[in-house]
Amino acid sequence: MRAPRSLRARLLLAGALGAVAGGVLAAVLLGAAFERAAERALDRRLADDIALLAGLAYADPQGRVRLRREPVEERFTRVFSGWYWQIGDGAAALRSRSLWDVALSVPKPAAQPLTGQVTGPRGQPLRFRAQALRLPGTAAATTFLVAADATPLRAEVGDFRLLAGLAVAALIGAMLLILFTQVMWGLRPLRELQRRLERLRHGEPERFEPAALPAEIAPLAAQINALLDAHARQVARAREAAQDLAHGLKTPLAVLSAAVERPGPDLAAEVATQVARLRGHIEHHLASSRPVGIGTRTELRPVVDALWAVLRAAHAGRSLVLDVDLPQPYAFAGAREDLEELLGNLLDNACKWARTRIAVSAQRSGGRLRLCIDDDGPGLTDAAAGAVLARGVRLDETAPGSGLGLAIVHRIALGYGGSLTLGRAPLGGLRAILDLPATPD
């Protein structure tokens, strides 16, 4: 059986099956309990009748069992009334008038009383109780037997089971109604969540308030809010990148247009230079506008090791030492390409300005990572640290590069809801601090 896709249908189906199964089980158990109680009550009455017969019985001088008087109740005197008693076996057995000339044949009881069912004079089922008693003056034990028609008992049990079934059916119906109300009421916050998402899809600004939702749904609302924030940052990041790209392409295109209007021997070189600038702008903005990786996990140490292997080869003529303090489980909640772009630019910048030492360390607090890249270079003043985060700003024109690295890092970090801050390192040079989302171990 294939499970329904609707959560409401699943809850209702599971609840209905549980209610029906529990109700049927309760009805069966109630019927069995009533039947057992009725049989015990009838057995006690049969035992009382045997005790009455035993009190009236005695042994004559010849050792035969006699009764001082027969029970005078109508149930024993009316022929085939359904109530019968019998003392002894065979032709010499004493019988109630209700038996007329019919003898009941039951197994001979042992030391304990025997209870069971036997067929009556008219073929009706009888419930009997037999007990072997030895009277004074007799050589052997005598069987005392009392039987009653079981048909009324079965009718009472059937009526009770019918009544119990109707009561349980009514109870199941009430339970299903309560279950339906409970499911509809319990799923109302999800329907409200659906309506808000529908309004959001149609362009209406929506935010979810986790505090106003049930505790089980509040984390989902918080995650949706986080996803909406990430999407908004990604859209803003792509829009800014497109605007910057358009702005950055204006100058090379204007230079190319002017060069075409006045051709000369330097035209090919000028075109190659401007094409290289165009290619650089395009590659930069393609990298900085890459979608933020959501739901991905990138460990820090392997990325740092791979980047350092490349940078050490690029700066092979210098004696640079890298100190790494990155606990192995620490991981960035984002794409590996973005982490490589972030750390690659910062480590490359540190290699350019460091004298001999570079340090990379990380701390995690809650769901955030604090990455520090330090060097022992000249460092920056507070004013200069704020200025270099602007696109294309270079404080030293003699150093290689385009001045875009820190701006790219700053933009990617913002895309993840993080930040890049610059300050003074314990080594004496520049400290770049990245605040990024972390993943659990």
Side-chain angles (χ1 to χ4, degrees):
M1 178 180 178
R2 185 177 180 181
R5 299 181 62 185
S6 169
L7 181 60
R8 182 188 300 109
R10 290 189 178 193
L11 292 174
L12 290 176
L13 179 60
L17 291 177
V20 172
V24 171
L25 180 62
V28 171
L29 292 178
L30 283 174
F34 180 81
E35 182 179 14
R36 189 172 182 182
E39 288 178 348
R40 286 182 175 179
L42 180 58
D43 291 343
R44 285 194 298 270
R45 189 171 184 184
L46 295 177
D48 292 341
D49 290 336
I50 287 180
L52 175 64
L53 289 173
L56 295 176
Y58 68 97
D60 63 10
Q62 288 76 31
R64 294 174 297 185
V65 177
R66 302 294 183 185
L67 289 178
R68 295 184 179 88
R69 63 175 179 81
E70 292 187 2
V72 296
E73 290 92 336
E74 182 185 1
R75 57 193 175 104
F76 291 126
T77 59
R78 183 163 45 88
V79 178
F80 302 141
S81 64
W83 284 86
Y84 312 105
W85 59 263
Q86 180 177 297
I87 301 175
D89 303 310
L94 302 177
R95 297 188 296 271
S96 63
R97 293 184 182 180
S98 55
L99 265 177
W100 198 244
D101 59 350
V102 178
L104 298 178
S105 177
V106 299
K108 192 172 184 64
Q112 297 297 325
L114 179 64
T115 303
Q117 183 171 303
V118 69
T119 303
R122 292 187 171 180
Q124 75 273 39
L126 301 179
R127 184 167 183 83
F128 74 88
R129 184 179 180 87
Q131 187 171 358
L133 300 174
R134 185 174 180 276
L135 299 176
T138 59
T142 303
T143 301
F144 286 75
L145 170 67
V146 178
D149 191 353
T151 304
L153 175 66
R154 293 182 176 180
E156 290 181 8
V157 172
D159 292 342
F160 179 84
R161 283 179 169 162
L162 176 60
L163 182 62
L166 293 176
V168 169
L171 180 61
I172 290 175
M175 291 175 63
L176 292 178
L177 180 60
I178 295 173
L179 174 66
F180 179 79
T181 305
Q182 178 182 353
V183 169
M184 298 300 293
W185 180 70
L187 295 181
R188 183 180 298 174
L190 290 179
R191 292 196 296 274
E192 178 63 23
L193 207 62
Q194 178 186 0
R195 285 193 291 268
R196 290 193 180 188
L197 288 174
E198 184 71 19
R199 291 197 293 268
L200 179 66
R201 190 172 66 87
H202 286 89
E204 299 182 21
E206 272 294 347
R207 295 289 297 177
F208 301 98
E209 297 296 335
L213 294 171
E216 293 79 8
I217 303 179
L220 174 62
Q223 292 299 322
I224 293 177
N225 284 338
L227 185 63
L228 293 175
D229 292 340
H231 180 265
R233 290 193 299 268
Q234 184 171 322
V235 171
R237 179 182 175 188
R239 185 182 295 114
E240 291 175 0
Q243 292 172 353
D244 289 349
L245 177 61
H247 181 75
L249 295 181
K250 285 182 179 179
T251 300
L253 289 175
V255 173
L256 286 174
S257 178
V260 170
E261 291 178 358
R262 55 176 191 279
D266 298 330
L267 177 60
E270 184 68 25
V271 169
T273 301
Q274 298 307 318
V275 168
R277 291 184 63 186
L278 289 173
R279 183 180 294 110
H281 279 294
I282 292 173
E283 290 177 353
H284 157 62
H285 287 290
L286 284 177
S288 63
S289 63
R290 181 169 55 247
V292 173
I294 299 175
T296 56
R297 182 179 190 276
T298 305
E299 291 193 10
L300 301 181
R301 188 59 185 262
V303 173
V304 172
D305 292 342
L307 290 172
W308 180 244
V310 175
L311 292 172
R312 184 173 54 188
H315 298 271
R318 304 172 60 196
S319 300
L320 296 177
V321 177
L322 177 68
D323 297 329
V324 180
D325 182 15
L326 297 176
Q328 189 64 28
Y330 283 10
F332 163 58
R336 182 183 179 92
E337 296 83 359
D338 287 335
L339 185 61
E340 290 175 346
E341 189 79 26
L342 292 166
L343 293 178
N345 280 290
L346 294 177
L347 286 173
D348 182 55
N349 187 72
C351 289
K352 291 174 183 176
W353 296 102
R355 294 185 178 93
T356 58
R357 292 185 62 195
I358 301 170
V360 179
S361 61
Q363 294 177 344
R364 187 176 63 190
S365 177
R368 308 298 298 179
L369 272 177
R370 187 175 184 267
L371 274 167
C372 298
I373 295 89
D374 302 334
D375 64 68
D376 61 351
L380 294 174
T381 63
D382 293 341
V388 295
L389 294 182
R391 176 185 175 274
V393 173
R394 298 172 59 198
L395 299 182
D396 188 353
E397 296 294 336
T398 64
S402 61
L404 297 174
L406 293 179
I408 292 175
V409 172
H410 183 56
R411 179 172 296 169
I412 295 176
L414 289 178
Y416 281 96
S419 63
L420 170 65
T421 55
L422 303 177
R424 175 66 62 177
L427 298 178
L430 179 67
R431 160 167 281 192
I433 303 173
L434 274 174
D435 176 69
L436 297 171
T439 61
D441 293 345

